[in-house]
Each structure stands twice: as C-alpha cells, then as structure tokens.
C-alpha cells in the first residue's frame, strides 16, 4: 500500500510540473498590437490589456499587472492596475522616436502574477501632420549669367518636413513670373529638390534683379506649407559650373570612430580659369534629428571627416549633399552626394529586466516552480545583440529561455528545504556574443515560507457604516477587509455573507464580492421605511485546511432630501392646493387672512419647511410668516385697492438641494354690510362712473316709491270692492303672509346681497356677520371679467 501511494504522489508531481511549464510558455507567447497617433493627449486610453488578454478584471489588482517598455528609456505608457487600461503617460513625438522610418513600433512587456505570465505588446505610432515644411534660410540669392541658355536648370534650397507619408513634403509652387518655371526632382533621403528652369532669355540691362517666392506644401489635412524668398541677380561672365568627379560617394565608418576620422575626399573641376575656376566646398541643408553636427567638411580640399560621436542605434545611414561652387563674380555650382554608412560595434551591455518576481515561495514547492520572469535586451545588432543568461550551478534554480530568446523564467530544479536554508541570493548573468563580450549581472533574493497557521483578522470589529438612502441598486456601498499574516495562497482571503443565522433577512438584498470584500446593495434603501440593520461577514483564507473568522456589521441609513413638501391646506374640492378667502375691507393691519399648512416626510433640515411669497399682486398689502405660513394684512385696505388678490405661496424645505411645492390663495375683499350705503355714496363722490350709477339709483328709487304708492292705492280700492274674493285668493297661497316689501340687491365679489324692509321673503338666508336686514343670494351667473368692478348694484321690487 505504501509503495502504491508513493507512485501516485510521484505521478501527481509530474503532472503539476507539466502544467506549470505549459502555462509558462502560454504566458510568454501571447502578443497583442495597438495603433495610435502621435501627440496623443496624455491620459488617453490605448487599449484594455486585461480585456484583450482575457484576464479577470476582478482579480487584476491582486495579480499585480505591470508593463515594461523596451528599446527606449522614456516611459511613454502606463497601465491602470485596477481595470487593465493602457494609457499614454508622456508626450509622444514620432519624429523624435523613430525619425523617418516608415513604421514606428514601441514594444512593451505585460506581466501578471498568481500565476506568473508575460505577454508582449506592440504599439504602432502613426504620423500626424504636426510639422510644416521649412527651409534652412528665409531667403536664397541666386546669381545667373545673362548669357545662360533657355532650359538651364538652377537648383534651389529644398524644404524639410519631419513627417512621413502623405504628411511629408509633397510639392513646390513658384510665384508667377515670365522667366522661370519650376521642376522638382526626387532625391531619396533628402526628399524633393526644386529647380528653376529658364524659359525666357535674360537681359541684365532690362531686368537685373527679380524676387520670387517658392512655396513648399505637404499632403496633410489640413495642408501645411512654408515659403522661401528667392532673389535672382542677373550678371555676366563665368559661364562654366564645377563638375564633380563622381555624382555619388559611398563610405563606411564604425560608430565609435573618434573625432577627426577621415571619411572621403570630394573632387570637382571647373573649366574656367582664375577665380572662376577656384572651387569652394560646403555642406548643403540641415540633417534631421540633430545630425548636422556629426560631420565636418574642409571647404578647400573637400575632405569629409567625423565631427562628433556617431551612434548606430540612432541612425545607420546618412546622405550628405555637398555643394561645389566656383569663386566667379556670378558663382556657379554643382551638387555631389556622399552616403555614409555607420557600422555597429559592441558598445552596449545587455540589460536584465525583472518583470515579475515571487520573492517568497513555499518550502514544499515542486521542481519546475516559476520564481521569476525576466526580459533581456541588447541595443546592439547581429551577434553583438545576442544574449545568453546563466545562474550558478550550485543553486537549486535554473533558467529556461523562451522560443525567441528574449525572455527567461527562473524555476526551481530540485526540492527545497526551509530548515536547511530559508533565503537564496541568486546572481543572474547576461552576456552577449560580441568580441569582446559584454556582461551584466543582477541579484534577486528568494525567501521560503511556511504552511497556513494564521486566521484572517478584520481591520475593525464591529464595523459601522453610514449609507445614504436612495442608493443605486447593484452599486457598492462599503467594503470590509481582513488580513492574514500568512503568505501566498495561505493569505488569500475570500469573503461571504453569513446567511445561516435565522432572522437575518437583510442578507437577502445584499451581495458581497468574495475577492475584495466589497458589499453591494441589491435594492435602494428608504430611510422612511428602515433606519438601521445588522448582519455578519465571514472571511476565510485559501490554506489547507482553511481558517475563517467573522465580524458584525452595523449599517445606519442616512436621510436624503427625497420628499417634496405636501400642502395640507388650503386644498380645493378638486384636490389642488388652492383656496379662496374673503376679507372685509375694513379689517385692521395684522388681520389673519389664511394659514398655509404643509408637512415633509423627511427629517432634520430636509423636513424643515419655510414659507415665502412667490407671487403677490400688492407687496405692501399682505405679509407671510416664513415659519408658520400665516398670511396677514400689513395695512388697511383703501378704496383704490383691488377687490381680488392672488397670492402664490412657495413651501420649500432646507435640504442641500431644496424641494418645494406651491399653494394658491385667492383673497376676495368684500364690503362690510352695515357700511354698504355710506361706502357707496363716498365712492360715488370720487368716481365719475359711480356717480352715474348713483344717479340712476336715485331715479330708480323714486320710481319704485311712486309705483309703491300707486300700488297701495290700487290695492286699497281693490280690497274695498272685492275684499272677499281677494282674501280667499291670497289665502290659497301658503307662502303669502299679507306683507308687502321692497328690496335693493347688490353684488360684492362672488355673492349677491339684498337690503329688505322689516319682513323677508321665505327662502332667504342671512349672511353671517351681516346686518339683520341683509340677505345673501347665491350668484349662479359666471364671474365677470376682472376689468369690470366687483360691486354691481341692482334694484328690484319684490312681494313678500
């Protein structure tokens, strides 16, 4: 049985070793590629590494995602360790980074831990039109013999544009003139070279000098351009230009060549004699990326030498334009080309970059366990850039290279024993294959760890959290955290809600992220319904056997201003916050007109209500108590005050973002019943229109009086002649009591009033607070326009 058990353990270790190696090669083999524009805003997102490589974003922070940039010392990109987003951290200038190469690539290495993985990321930097074509000088002077033949070409200073593709220099344009046309030659690395071609014979006596403008334009959108002022001076003599012995020279030089190293001698001859045959050499144009200071030219002998240090890693080929010009009064010149090829030498040491390191591993780790991942680079080329890594043979560790030889994994090659040795200092040596070889060493330290013997411990016990009501369902509300003194898997803590305890129904609307302890609410809390609750969280490590602990969490719901004030009064019959109040015209200042009542379901400042007048017809007539909602008169009413007033009251709470409601109170000012006649007479004195009404009223009263006297006489006569008949006739009417009366009716606001004699007709009602002889008659007619006076008088005669 023991032998069988041993074979099973050995088989299990072999399978685990194979799985580790499989995932290692899988980790270092994955590659992704992005493409971005140069000059992208710092902070702009390039891509999501975690999403593109299939990482779990929930565990990304624990796996310690990192990136390392190779080939340049600038840290152009960074990664957000929480969501895996790769973003720009520095300004990216493609011209500075890759000069004029057709494709600009930046290589990054992305690594994660638990388990350890390494992936290669390639970012292509595309060009944008951020440079305009420019000339070396703002002006160019060209002296031309008047005897030069038509069709002769004259080379001008070419413009330079650091951009590439369609964004680089595309064309030249010459200002309108009758003597010259423009031609363009493509001169390789130096781009397009403009030439003036004579199309009409020059005559110095007629035109001795002309000014032309040469414009260079690129093909970007929008198009950018630069200009050169060309001055043409027409003169005589010197009709032979120098001629180079070779149109193109090619020379090679090692990158470590010292200053003054001879490269080549440019030879040229001139058929003229004297000063017209003496030749002066000069370098034409300025080179890109600061290369103009790399070479020196003797203007007399034409010898080209190295002026300062060359660097193969920056640029491998230089194309120089050398101008050979004679010393004639009108100098003639020609151009020679020198191609300088820079050869690589082994002048760069290898670089070791530890991209991922498990500084602590369990003592029972199986052989083949990955301890660290590292990348090795050498900026040299060829064999000078080929690197081999090694570790001392007496250590229980070994290096395994990736398929391309650019990455290595440090693994265990035998069983480890913490009791024998708990710490290892591992010296890693990287050596290139150059002659002589260059080497770099780096030391990493690895500690062994023990088994799981510590219980997770919460940072607080109990936890107390305050959560605002109306939270968004599904969003995190707070986080609990537990620490474990163990390392590796023994310290990886997972969280869960205690749903076994009876009575804890609150856990039904809660959820927890088992990785980081973030607790989510599955519903929105309502302070008015629930103000506090309690539950328990369990933290368990991943050791074998696992250890766990729990903690009590107390949650208090905080009130939010989410309830609008509710108007209790006034409330109309249709449910709207509107009421009608009647106020006698003779009330004193401070008279209580109405009171607005409201409440707010919130608490504290969120439920503290204040009242204010939002709309009022006369600010001097009514006042509102901001705390009680009482509406009082601020002064006595005058005869010129309107009979109808509309007050809109704003009820607002004191929350950070206040909520409010409005109530409308219609105030009708009515005349006091006992002062009606006097008030009407006084009003008629001040108002011409009311005077007319009074005049008609007097006529009507006189007429009624006359008719009343005539009626009495007629009735007496009729009583005397037909006493029996009339008595029986009137006795048949049960509503008749044998009394005659007359009345004067008038309207004030929405009510009609009747002034009667000592008797009242049946069915009349006395208005509360009015004189004994005043009747209130419901007005069934529609309200008149507010432009018509509220007080309308009418006279009528009634038989009671």
């Amino acid at each position: 049985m023991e032998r069988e058990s041993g074979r099973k353990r050995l088989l299990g270790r072999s399978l685990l070793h194979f799985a580790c190696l499989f995932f290692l090669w899988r980790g270092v083999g994955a590659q992704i590629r992005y493409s971005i524009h140069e000059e992208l805003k710092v902070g702009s997102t390039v891509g999501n590494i975690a999403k593109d490589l299939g990482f779990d974003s929930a565990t990304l922070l624990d796996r310690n995602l990192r990136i390392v940039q190779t080939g340049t010392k600038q840290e152009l990109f960074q990664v957000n360790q929480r969501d895996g987003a790769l973003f720009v951290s520095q300004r990216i200038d493609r011209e500075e980074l890759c000069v004029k190469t057709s494709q600009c690539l930046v290589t990054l290495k992305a690594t994660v831990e638990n388990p350890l993985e390494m992936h290669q990321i390639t970012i292509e930097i595309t060009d944008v039109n951020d440079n305009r074509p420019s000339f070396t000088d703002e002006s160019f002077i060209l002296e031309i013999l008047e005897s030069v033949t038509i069709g002769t070409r004259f080379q001008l200073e070419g413009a330079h544009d650091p951009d590439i593709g369609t964004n680089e220099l595309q064309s030249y344009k010459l200002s309108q003139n009758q003597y010259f046309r423009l031609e363009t030659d493509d001169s390789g690395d130096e781009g397009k070279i403009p030439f003036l071609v004579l199309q009409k014979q020059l005559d110095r006596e007629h035109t001795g000098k002309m000014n032309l403008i040469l414009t260079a334009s690129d093909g970007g959108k929008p198009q950018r351009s630069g200009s050169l002022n060309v001055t043409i001076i027409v003169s005589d003599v010197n009709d032979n230009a120098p001629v180079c012995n070779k149109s193109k020279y090619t020379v090679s030089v090692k990158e470590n060549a010292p200053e003054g190293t001879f490269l080549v001698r440019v030879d040229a001859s001139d058929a003229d004699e004297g000063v017209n045959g003496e030749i002066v050499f000069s370098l034409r144009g300025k080179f890109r990326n600061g290369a103009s200071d790399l070479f020196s030219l003797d203007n007399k002998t034409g010898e080209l030498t190295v002026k300062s240090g060359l660097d193969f890693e920056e640029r491998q080929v230089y194309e120089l334009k050398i101008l050979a010009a004679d010393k004639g009064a009108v100098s003639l010149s020609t151009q020679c080309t020198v191609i300088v090829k820079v050869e690589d030498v082994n002048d760069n040491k290898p670089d070791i970059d530890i991209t991922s390191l498990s500084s602590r591993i369990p003592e029972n780790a199986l052989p083949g366990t990955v301890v660290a991942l590292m990348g090795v680079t050498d900026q040299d080329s060829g064999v000078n850039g080929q690197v081999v890594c090694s570790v001392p043979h007496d250590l229980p560790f070994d290096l395994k290279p990736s398929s391309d030889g650019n990455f290595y994994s440090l693994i265990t090659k035998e069983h480890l024993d913490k009791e024998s040795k708990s710490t290892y200092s591992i010296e890693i040596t990287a050596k290139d294959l150059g002659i002589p070889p260059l080497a770099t060493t780096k030391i990493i330290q690895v500690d062994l760890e023990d088994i799981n013997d510590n219980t997770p411990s919460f940072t607080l016990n109990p936890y107390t959290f305050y959560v605002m009501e109306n939270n968004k369902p599904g969003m995190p509300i707070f986080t609990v955290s537990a620490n474990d003194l163990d390392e590796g898997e023994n310290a990886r803590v997972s969280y869960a809600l205690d749903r076994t305890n009876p009575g804890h129904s609150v856990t039904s609307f809660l959820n927890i992220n088992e990785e980081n302890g973030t607790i989510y609410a599955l519903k929105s809390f309502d302070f008015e319904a629930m103000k506090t609750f309690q539950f328990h969280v369990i933290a368990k490590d991943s050791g074998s056997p696992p250890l766990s602990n729990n903690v009590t969490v107390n949650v208090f719901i905080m009130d939010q201003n989410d309830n609008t004030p509710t108007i209790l009064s006034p409330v109309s019959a249709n449910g709207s916050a509107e009421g009608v109040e009647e106020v006698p015209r003779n009330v004193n200042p401070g008279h209580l007109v109405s009171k607005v009542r409201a409440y707010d379901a919130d608490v504290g400042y969120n439920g503290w209500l204040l009242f204010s007048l939002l709309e009022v017809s006369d600010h001097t007539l009514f006042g509102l108590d901001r705390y009680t909602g009482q509406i009082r008169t601020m002064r006595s009413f005058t005869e010129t005050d309107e009979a109808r007033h509309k007050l809109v009251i704003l009820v607002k709470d004191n929350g950070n973002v206040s909520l409010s409601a409005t109530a409308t109170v219609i105030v009708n000012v009515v005349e006091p019943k006992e002062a009606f006649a006097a008030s009407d007479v006084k009003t008629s004195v001040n108002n011409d229109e009311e005077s007319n009404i009074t005049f008609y009223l007097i006529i009507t009263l006189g007429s009624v009086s006359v008719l009343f006297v005539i009626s009495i006489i007629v009735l007496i006569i009729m009583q005397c002649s037909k006493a029996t008949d009339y008595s029986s006739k009137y006795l048949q009417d049960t509503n008749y009591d044998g009394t005659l009366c007359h009345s004067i009716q008038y309207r004030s606001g929405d009510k009609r009033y009747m002034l009667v004699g000592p008797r009242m007709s049946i069915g009349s009602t006395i208005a509360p607070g009015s004189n004994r002889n005043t009747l209130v008659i419901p007005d069934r007619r529609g309200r008149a326009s507010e432009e018509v006076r509220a007080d309308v008088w009418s006279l009528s005669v009634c038989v009671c």
Side-chain angles (χ1 to χ4, degrees):
M1 293 296 292
E2 293 180 357
R3 191 172 299 172
E4 181 69 21
S5 175
R7 283 198 297 268
K8 289 182 178 180
R9 286 195 298 270
L10 182 60
L11 179 60
R13 292 173 180 175
S14 300
L15 290 175
L16 182 60
H17 185 194
F18 176 77
C20 292
L21 291 177
F22 173 77
F23 285 112
L24 171 64
W25 305 134
R26 180 176 175 267
V28 299
Q31 294 187 3
I32 56 177
R33 184 185 181 100
Y34 298 111
S35 178
I36 63 171
H37 292 298
E38 65 170 326
E39 304 294 347
L40 201 61
K41 184 178 180 181
V42 175
S44 299
T45 301
V46 177
N48 192 296
I49 298 175
K51 179 179 179 182
D52 296 338
L53 293 178
F55 295 153
D56 186 358
S57 60
T59 62
L60 200 60
L61 188 60
D62 294 334
R63 296 191 66 184
N64 193 19
L65 173 64
R66 300 188 306 278
I67 63 166
V68 177
Q69 183 168 322
T70 61
T72 176
K73 296 181 180 179
Q74 296 179 338
E75 295 183 1
L76 302 177
F77 303 94
Q78 291 184 7
V79 66
N80 188 321
Q81 295 186 340
R82 294 184 178 274
D83 58 11
L86 183 67
F87 60 91
V88 178
S89 62
Q90 291 187 18
R91 173 179 175 267
I92 300 177
D93 187 356
R94 188 189 188 284
E95 289 72 41
E96 179 182 349
L97 200 62
C98 300
V99 198
K100 290 286 284 186
T101 55
S102 60
Q103 190 176 40
C104 184
L105 302 177
V106 177
T107 303
L108 307 177
K109 293 174 288 184
T111 63
V112 293
E113 302 176 359
N114 299 321
L116 295 171
E117 296 182 23
M118 177 181 293
H119 303 273
Q120 183 168 315
I121 303 170
T122 302
I123 301 176
E124 180 182 4
I125 311 299
T126 59
D127 184 51
V128 297
N129 192 22
D130 57 340
N131 294 281
R132 67 176 62 251
S134 61
F135 293 90
T136 303
D137 301 309
E138 295 182 356
S139 60
F140 183 84
I141 299 176
L142 180 63
E143 296 184 5
I144 303 177
L145 290 172
E146 64 176 341
S147 59
V148 69
T149 60
I150 295 176
T152 303
R153 305 173 78 218
F154 302 93
Q155 181 179 333
L156 300 179
E157 177 66 31
H160 297 285
D161 191 336
D163 295 322
I164 64 171
T166 57
N167 293 330
E168 67 179 346
L169 176 65
Q170 297 293 325
S171 62
Y172 293 96
K173 181 179 179 181
L174 187 65
S175 60
Q176 187 68 28
N177 70 96
Q178 60 178 329
Y179 289 99
F180 296 95
R181 71 173 187 273
L182 183 67
E183 291 184 357
T184 303
D185 287 353
D186 194 342
S187 186
D189 186 56
E190 286 299 318
K192 300 181 183 299
I193 303 300
F195 289 87
L196 291 181
V197 180
L198 185 65
Q199 61 182 3
K200 181 180 179 181
Q201 189 65 47
L202 296 174
D203 185 356
R204 183 179 181 278
E205 288 70 28
H206 182 269
T207 303
K209 182 179 180 181
M210 9 178 172
N211 294 314
L212 306 176
I213 297 178
L214 178 67
T215 303
S217 302
D218 60 23
K221 293 184 179 180
Q223 189 179 61
R224 309 188 74 172
S225 62
S227 60
L228 174 69
N229 295 321
V230 180
T231 300
I232 307 296
I233 298 176
V234 182
S235 60
D236 292 321
V237 297
N238 194 21
D239 54 350
N240 290 288
V243 177
C244 293
N245 295 346
K246 291 183 180 179
S247 61
K248 180 181 292 187
Y249 296 82
T250 302
V251 63
S252 298
V253 61
K254 292 188 179 296
E255 63 174 328
N256 61 349
E259 182 179 354
T261 300
F262 175 80
L263 296 177
V264 70
R265 178 173 180 173
V266 178
D267 291 326
S269 60
D270 194 320
D272 295 326
E273 296 180 354
V275 294
N276 294 332
E278 296 180 10
I279 300 175
V280 177
F281 300 92
S282 61
L283 282 171
R284 299 298 296 167
K286 293 186 178 180
F287 306 103
R288 298 163 180 79
N289 69 351
S292 58
D293 297 329
L294 298 178
F295 305 96
S296 178
L297 178 68
D298 191 313
N299 61 355
K300 294 182 179 180
T301 64
E303 292 183 353
L304 184 67
T305 58
V306 176
K307 186 176 180 181
S308 61
L310 303 174
D311 192 350
F312 175 84
E313 285 69 37
E314 288 188 8
R315 190 169 180 179
Q316 294 80 45
V317 178
Y318 294 89
E319 184 174 348
L320 310 180
K321 300 297 182 180
I322 298 177
L323 186 69
D326 59 28
K327 294 182 178 181
V330 179
S331 179
L332 301 179
S333 62
T334 189
Q335 184 172 271
C336 310
T337 301
V338 177
I339 304 298
V340 180
K341 296 182 179 180
V342 182
E343 297 178 352
D344 182 49
V345 296
N346 191 24
D347 59 345
N348 292 284
K349 290 184 177 181
D351 181 47
I352 302 174
D353 183 19
I354 306 298
T355 58
S356 183
L357 171 64
S358 296
S359 59
R360 296 178 62 86
I361 60 174
E363 62 175 336
N364 59 350
L366 297 176
T369 299
V370 178
V371 177
L373 292 176
M374 65 198 73
V376 290
T377 56
D378 193 322
Q379 296 184 7
D380 294 321
S381 62
V383 293
N384 295 330
Q386 297 179 14
V387 181
V388 177
C389 292
S390 61
V391 295
H393 296 289
D394 58 344
L395 296 179
F397 299 92
D398 199 5
L399 288 174
K400 294 294 182 181
S402 62
S403 58
D404 58 2
N406 294 328
F407 302 96
Y408 284 83
S409 59
L410 179 65
I411 61 173
T412 58
K413 67 178 181 181
E414 59 188 49
H415 291 285
L416 305 175
D417 187 1
K418 184 178 186 297
E419 284 68 30
S420 299
K421 190 172 184 179
S422 61
T423 301
Y424 290 90
S425 292
I426 306 171
E427 182 179 276
I428 302 172
T429 302
K431 181 185 297 185
D432 62 28
L433 302 181
I435 299 176
L438 301 177
T440 300
T441 60
K442 182 165 288 190
I443 297 176
I444 62 174
Q445 181 170 309
V446 177
D447 299 325
L448 305 184
E449 63 179 0
D450 264 322
I451 57 175
N452 185 28
D453 58 350
N454 290 283
T455 302
S457 175
F458 286 92
T459 55
L460 293 175
N461 192 3
Y463 279 96
T464 300
F465 295 103
Y466 297 88
V467 180
M468 190 70 69
E469 68 171 330
N470 299 320
N471 56 296
K472 187 176 181 181
M475 297 299 292
I477 53 177
F478 47 77
T479 301
V480 297
S481 178
N483 298 320
D484 195 319
L485 298 179
D486 295 322
E487 299 178 356
E489 286 296 310
N490 295 332
R492 188 166 62 87
V493 179
S494 61
Y495 303 86
L497 295 176
D498 185 6
R499 304 183 188 273
T500 61
N501 202 343
H504 284 184
S505 60
V506 294
T507 57
S508 63
F509 55 80
L510 296 176
N511 200 0
I512 190 170
N513 187 320
E514 65 176 9
E515 297 292 335
N516 55 30
T518 300
I519 297 176
Y520 302 82
L522 304 181
K523 74 171 189 177
S524 180
F525 296 122
D526 186 1
F527 174 81
E528 287 72 27
M530 180 173 62
K531 295 178 174 55
T532 182
F533 60 89
Q534 183 186 88
F535 62 97
H536 295 86
V537 177
I538 301 173
K540 181 172 64 175
D541 64 26
S542 300
S544 180
L547 302 177
S548 63
N549 197 359
N550 61 63
V551 68
T552 301
V553 180
N554 298 310
V555 181
F556 294 91
I557 309 301
M558 299 178 65
D559 183 50
Q560 191 178 41
N561 190 24
D562 59 343
N563 289 282
T564 303
T566 302
I567 306 298
L568 298 178
S569 69
V571 178
S572 65
N574 60 5
S576 62
E578 181 174 340
V580 179
E581 299 290 344
E582 292 187 350
V583 180
R585 187 177 289 273
N586 62 346
V587 296
N588 295 324
H591 175 75
L592 178 62
V593 177
S594 182
K595 181 176 181 179
V596 179
R597 294 178 174 87
Y599 83 99
D600 195 315
D602 295 319
V603 298
Y605 280 96
N606 295 331
W608 181 20
L609 301 181
L610 294 177
F611 303 81
S612 61
L613 280 172
L614 185 62
E615 180 182 338
V616 61
S617 57
D618 191 342
H619 290 278
T620 65
L621 191 54
F622 298 97
L624 175 68
D625 191 303
R626 66 177 304 185
Y627 301 107
T628 65
Q630 292 183 350
I631 303 173
R632 294 183 181 271
T633 58
M634 298 176 63
R635 61 173 175 81
S636 299
F637 291 95
T638 64
E639 295 298 328
T640 60
D641 290 330
E642 296 289 337
R644 175 184 172 88
H645 298 270
K646 179 180 179 181
L647 285 73
V648 179
I649 293 88
L650 176 68
V651 184
K652 181 174 66 174
D653 60 30
N654 279 268
N656 287 335
V657 179
S658 296
L659 301 178
S660 61
T662 59
T664 303
V665 176
I666 304 298
V667 180
N668 291 326
V669 182
V670 299
E671 296 292 341
K673 282 69 177 182
E674 67 277 7
F676 169 73
S679 175
D680 187 62
V681 171
K682 183 182 294 185
T683 304
S684 64
V685 175
N686 298 324
N687 193 301
D688 293 338
E689 183 180 356
E690 292 181 358
S691 297
N692 296 331
I693 296 175
T694 304
F695 175 73
Y696 296 139
L697 179 61
I698 294 173
I699 295 175
T700 304
L701 287 173
S703 302
V704 170
S705 299
V706 172
L707 290 174
F708 180 72
V709 172
I710 295 173
S711 299
I712 294 298
I713 296 172
V714 173
L715 286 175
I716 292 174
I717 296 172
M718 293 178 65
Q719 285 288 344
C720 293
S721 61
K722 297 180 180 179
T724 305
D725 295 338
Y726 278 91
S727 298
S728 61
K729 181 179 180 180
Y730 282 99
L731 288 174
Q732 292 175 359
D733 189 356
T734 58
N735 294 328
Y736 176 69
D737 59 357
T739 303
L740 296 176
C741 68
H742 68 276
S743 68
I744 300 176
Q745 298 181 16
Y746 67 95
R747 179 185 298 168
S748 178
D750 292 335
K751 295 185 178 180
R752 291 188 298 157
Y753 298 89
M754 177 183 293
L755 297 181
V756 299
R759 299 294 293 250
M760 294 181 296
S761 63
I762 297 174
S764 300
T765 58
I766 299 177
S770 64
N771 292 335
R772 181 173 176 270
N773 294 332
T774 303
L775 297 180
V776 179
I777 302 175
D779 188 3
R780 295 180 176 86
R781 296 173 297 176
R783 293 183 57 85
S785 172
E786 291 184 2
E787 297 178 357
V788 182
R789 282 186 54 84
D791 298 338
V792 178
W793 294 81
S794 67
L795 298 177
S796 65
V797 177
C798 70
V799 179
C800 302

